[in-house]
Amino acid sequence: MPHNILKGFLLAAAALFLFTCMDSITKYLTSHYNVPFVVAMRYLVHCSVMLIILAPRHATQLVKTQRTGLVVLRGLALTLSSLCMGMALQRMPLAETTAINFLAPTLVALLAGSLLSERIGGWGWVAIVTGFIGVLLIARPGGGLDALGVFFALMAACANATYQLLSRLLASTEKAIALLFYTALIGSIIFGIALPWYWENKTPSTLEFILLLSMGLTGGLGHYLFTLAYRHAPASVLAPMTYLQLLWAGLMGWMIFGTIPDGTSLIGMAVVAVSGLIIAFKSRFTKVTPTKPESDQL
């Protein structure tokens, strides 16, 4: 393996580990605090770190956009995904919640045909059907999962798919640093406004305070490392790597929370992963039809 690609692999693996750490911390904290409060702390810390570290040198790049309406909509999609993911993690095991959220790439493949002028193709439909079968195996009736938690996990996957679609649409016109900042800013504004209604009249312990701070740090650092990974390895190589997060989630769910998916759920998680791998390895079935850049109509 060439040195640069190996470096990209290691950076991506570290980023996925940090994302799983953030989800694990979120799950732990939502057993002690309400979800909007926990998610608010994540965004406020993330935004504050970017302002402190990046604003002095990159102030213009942080706020300059060409299609501001779509950038804001992308931030709203991630904010909704974070909220729904927190609600799901509060009610469900880490591994199963993560697996259902990985339905997002399959939803992207389903929606890209009409929204991004991409051809799905035969393998695309195989991946789409496979992904939904995997989720049904995980969230089957009688499987013991909280029905409301499954609903929130599915909503998180839908919002995440919208976020990914907008990311692909905006990649040609917007700088990554601005996209990252606006997601942190929009989440901070929305949850900051709502925070007085969800503020709990209790002082966090030292451990809880550290964990509240670490959510924004792990999320921000994870996104930064993933950006670095794309500098060393192509997207076609890194895309299958994202399913390493399922392994991290399974291990942390067992080590921290003592939960182990049953056999049928493990099969469902594997089926969801196969669905995503088909999309990653067969990217040629979604050829983009060249179009003129869209104007911002939002």
Side-chain angles (χ1 to χ4, degrees), residues 12-22 245 248 252:
L16 294 167
F17 177 76
L18 289 173
F19 292 150
T20 309
C21 288
M22 182 181 66
Q245 189 172 350
W248 292 137
M252 287 194 183

Side-chain angles (χ1 to χ4, degrees), residues 111-125:
L111 298 174
S114 58
L115 299 180
L116 299 181
S117 301
E118 295 184 0
R119 180 176 172 271
I120 296 177
W123 279 107
W125 285 111

Side-chain angles (χ1 to χ4, degrees), residues 72-84:
V72 171
L73 183 60
R74 176 180 176 272
L76 291 173
L78 185 61
T79 300
L80 178 60
S81 177
S82 300
L83 178 62
C84 290

Side-chain angles (χ1 to χ4, degrees), residues 20-218:
T20 309
C21 288
M22 182 181 66
D23 287 342
S24 300
I25 294 169
T26 299
K27 180 171 178 58
Y28 173 81
L29 289 173
T30 53
S31 65
H32 299 79
Y33 298 91
N34 59 59
V35 174
F37 171 77
V38 172
V39 179
M41 292 298 102
R42 168 194 166 181
Y43 278 100
L44 289 170
V45 172
H46 184 182
C47 187
S48 299
V49 169
M50 291 197 72
L51 288 173
I52 294 170
I53 296 177
L54 298 178
R57 295 181 58 186
H58 306 283
T60 303
Q61 295 182 44
L62 287 178
V63 299
K64 185 177 180 180
T65 61
Q66 296 187 42
R67 292 187 279 183
T68 306
L70 292 178
V71 172
V72 171
L73 183 60
R74 176 180 176 272
L76 291 173
L78 185 61
T79 300
L80 178 60
S81 177
S82 300
L83 178 62
C84 290
M85 191 67 174
M87 300 293 284
L89 287 168
Q90 190 180 47
R91 293 167 169 80
M92 288 172 49
L94 179 62
E96 285 88 336
T97 305
T98 302
I100 293 176
N101 194 44
F102 266 91
L103 186 64
T106 304
L107 294 174
V108 169
L110 178 63
L111 298 174
S114 58
L115 299 180
L116 299 181
S117 301
E118 295 184 0
R119 180 176 172 271
I120 296 177
W123 279 107
W125 285 111
V126 169
I128 290 167
V129 173
T130 302
F132 282 106
I133 291 174
V135 170
L136 289 175
L137 288 172
I138 297 170
R140 67 195 183 281
L145 295 181
D146 184 277
L148 189 57
V150 172
F151 170 78
F152 281 123
L154 289 171
M155 291 300 99
C158 292
N160 190 12
T162 303
Y163 168 78
Q164 292 184 31
L165 283 168
L166 289 170
S167 297
R168 289 165 66 168
L169 187 63
L170 293 167
S172 61
T173 61
E174 312 299 332
K175 292 185 178 296
I177 191 173
L179 292 175
L180 185 60
F181 174 70
Y182 271 92
T183 56
L185 178 64
I186 291 168
S188 297
I189 292 174
I190 291 176
F191 287 110
I193 293 174
L195 191 58
W197 283 271
Y198 292 99
W199 184 271
E200 300 195 11
N201 189 23
K202 62 178 180 179
T203 303
S205 66
T206 302
L207 174 61
E208 291 172 344
F209 182 73
I210 293 173
L211 291 177
L212 286 168
L213 292 179
S214 68
M215 281 191 304
L217 296 177
T218 53

